[in-house]
Amino acid sequence: VQTIGLAVLAIGASVALTGCSSKQEEFNKPADYWYQKMVKETTKGNLEEADKTFTSLQSEHIRSPLTQESMLILAQAHMDNEEYVLANHYLDDYMKRYGDKKNVEFVKFMKVKAGFFAFKKAFRNQQLLSDTLKDTQDFISEYPYSIYKPYAETMLLKITLANKSINENI
């Protein structure tokens, strides 16, 4: 009986150790591995895992062009998931690292869009309304010939009407 107990204990310990060893952290993978894994997790809606995968991508392959594209993918995915603070984090980081004449207009528009969609109830977050109003006006004046201008003007109109409604009710 004691021998059977020891055998069961030994089998249990080996299963536990095998299970733990299979969950080791991954590292030293090529950039396209991390990118594909991040896209897969984003597609599944598992943004927490996608964020972790992106961290691995950027820590192992800081100069990879896939890092730049991944930041925009994650920003859009977080906006789609109504996580606007995280979306803005990725957009701000993108601007710091990769902002240039070719892409700054698009990224600034994405930030305006994130602020607009973050605004749900005018009476609860007046500061966000005010900030988004200013950011939208700044975008339109800075990029008067932007392809995104009609969208920004529509957002500006809606934000202005919400601001007017707040001021009338105060």
Side-chain angles (χ1 to χ4, degrees):
V1 175
Q2 193 174 22
T3 307
I4 294 174
L6 288 174
V8 170
L9 183 63
I11 291 172
S14 71
V15 168
L17 290 175
T18 304
C20 292
S21 66
S22 68
K23 294 188 179 189
Q24 292 177 354
E25 294 294 319
E26 296 177 291
F27 59 92
N28 278 342
K29 302 288 185 184
D32 62 334
Y33 170 84
W34 294 120
Y35 177 79
Q36 289 174 10
K37 185 174 180 183
M38 186 215 60
V39 169
K40 180 181 171 188
E41 294 300 331
T42 302
T43 304
K44 290 192 312 190
N46 188 356
L47 296 183
E48 189 173 325
E49 190 62 33
D51 290 335
K52 289 177 185 176
T53 303
F54 172 74
T55 300
S56 296
L57 170 64
Q58 80 171 348
S59 67
E60 290 185 20
H61 305 282
I62 191 79
R63 298 206 187 277
S64 171
L66 296 175
T67 304
Q68 183 176 356
E69 185 177 331
S70 297
M71 293 173 99
L72 293 177
I73 290 170
L74 286 170
Q76 183 63 52
H78 283 292
M79 274 196 279
D80 292 346
N81 206 38
E82 298 182 1
E83 297 171 344
Y84 304 106
V85 173
L86 280 170
N88 272 321
H89 164 74
Y90 282 110
L91 293 169
D92 288 338
D93 197 26
Y94 184 92
M95 288 289 289
K96 285 181 211 168
R97 293 167 61 181
Y98 307 111
D100 61 18
K101 288 182 180 182
K102 291 184 263 180
N103 61 23
V104 71
E105 177 185 339
F106 172 72
V107 176
K108 285 185 178 182
F109 173 72
M110 293 291 286
K111 286 185 62 63
V112 166
K113 185 176 160 185
F116 176 76
F117 286 128
F119 173 71
K120 295 287 183 197
K121 297 184 179 174
F123 299 105
R124 290 191 184 169
N125 199 341
Q126 295 174 6
Q127 185 62 48
L128 177 61
L129 175 75
S130 178
D131 292 345
T132 304
L133 181 64
K134 183 185 178 321
D135 291 345
T136 308
Q137 290 169 333
D138 290 348
F139 178 82
I140 291 170
S141 66
E142 189 173 352
Y143 301 101
Y145 303 107
S146 172
I147 61 172
Y148 308 109
K149 184 179 177 187
Y151 303 109
E153 287 175 332
T154 301
M155 288 184 244
L156 179 62
L157 176 63
K158 290 180 179 184
I159 295 166
T160 302
L161 290 172
N163 195 34
K164 183 175 169 51
S165 175
I166 287 173
N167 290 336
E168 287 177 359
N169 287 320
I170 290 181

